Amino acid sequence: MSDHNDVDFLGLSADLSQEERTVQAEARAFVDEQVLPIIEEHFLEGSFPTHLIPEMGKRGYLGAILDGYGCRPLSGVSYGLMNQELERGDSAIRSFSSVQTGLVMFPIFTFGTEEQKKQWLPELASGRAVGCFGLTEPDFGSNPGGMVTAATIDGNDYVLNGKKRWATNGSIANVAVIWAKLDGDVRGFLVEKDTPGFKPSKIVNKFSLRASVSSEIELDQVRIPKRNLLPGTEVGLRAPLLCLNQARYGIAWGAVGAARGCYEEALAYTKKRVQFTRPLAGHQLIQHKLVEMLTDVTQGQLLCLRLGRMKDAGTLKHYHISMAKRTNVRNALSAARMTRDMLGARGICTDSHCARHLCNLETVSTYEGTHDIHTLILGEHITGLNAFS
Ligand code: TGC
Ligand code: FAD
């Protein structure tokens, strides 16, 4: 969907504004020049390329849905295109941006005080500070409303106790948005990294999203001043769900990027690799797979473009995002598997992209609402019947 993009079967770039094309071209160059050359090494090491954080800040990739406080406000479509390119590089890079933007900066911007915004947003936008989001707990993933982490009032402070699991960036975060129950209501709190009793630890035994830092966070008598409550979170579980909408929107676009990366790899490889005296791409079964992939990518692009226009028009609802997150991630997983297959043994090696995408997309299918949770969200919307419990 840009001048340099050869995976634009329907010529959708003609429907983009100049700004949207520019944002995509810039993000595409960033990924080609700075992400793809180093990502294999980080995936193997199990480390996030932290040297890219200030660069992402400089380019305006952190907080790009917000206006002011050092952010570079992008239209919904531009923001989506940026996510698409970042995830073509690796889901960990898009995840970093999603968490910082949608799950940390968005709640501070939307539910925070002016003092909290001034303290944190410029730092987070520039990449001088990193944030994380603690909603999931060891016993409450799909059902965050059941959380047991609790905040109690003690004089002029809140005291937090509990455990969060899977917080992206938890161990490298300067500030954590922690969701906890205060008198039974879910509220958001800002916890700074050196607060006594705040104990993040990195989860190291992952096959997936290896270039992203995932952490468990123990909260043991964590005492924070009352000014660290996000006051606008009195809307209960709706507050974290509104944050998830932002991140899920980015994932819907990002998954198309991962699928596109796989399609490009499969096409290039099968045109070069000769078996039974002709390029693989000249065999009918291979062409069938390439056609399936291109069709899925094109449908994903169409869905996302419509979503982006609705976001910009203010008509986008959470169930629209659920449909796109669900279907685009499923199709990206399918594209990664097909590419892995078409590359033969080469496809299991770390210097091809498809197996890395395949492993990553297993996480993307699970986090931010599993595939089946999004099925139930859509099911509830179309029937009016809640089938969660
Ligand atoms: P339920 O009673 O259905 O809803 C509570 C209230 O919230 C409203 N609502 C939403 N509002 C805005 N956006 C949404 N997406 C909303 N979904 C529901 C709802 O209308 C209701 O409002 P009101 O006024 O009636 O009170 O709540 P429930 O407890 O039954 O749960 C609903 C459910 C299952 C859909 C929700 O809990 C859910 O989405 N579960 C999945 C959990 C999840 O996605 N966790 C993600 C953790 S963060 C993460 O994974 C980061 S990954 C890193 C990266 O992004 O890269
Ligand atoms: P469970 O909820 O236990 O689900 C297990 C299975 O049961 C799934 O197949 C699910 O679809 C199914 N299931 C659940 N409920 C139902 C139902 N009612 N009906 C039918 N089937 C059902 N969380 C954060 O808070 N912050 C983060 O930054 C963050 N980052 C993450 C990064 C990574 C790498 C990963 C893997 C996860 C991250 N998460 C984060 C957590 C993520 O959001 C949860 O893993 C996800 O919500 C699912 O929860 P769970 O893993 O506990 O699975």
Side-chain angles (χ1 to χ4, degrees), residues 94-95 98-99 103 133 135-136 141-145 168 237-238 241-242 244-245 247-248 251 318 367-369 373 377 380 386 388:
R94 195 269 311 134
S95 237
S98 291
V99 170
L103 301 184
F133 178 89
L135 180 66
T136 304
S142 298
N143 177 24
T168 298
L237 198 58
R238 256 172 64 77
L241 288 170
L242 286 168
L244 298 186
N245 292 344
R248 290 169 178 173
I251 291 174
H318 71 271
Y367 69 20
E368 291 285 358
I373 287 297
I377 291 171
E380 181 179 18
N386 175 323
F388 288 103

Side-chain angles (χ1 to χ4, degrees), residues 17-27 72:
S17 69
Q18 189 52 50
E19 184 219 67
E20 290 160 353
R21 277 195 281 266
T22 303
V23 167
Q24 187 179 23
E26 283 172 5
R72 173 197 187 188

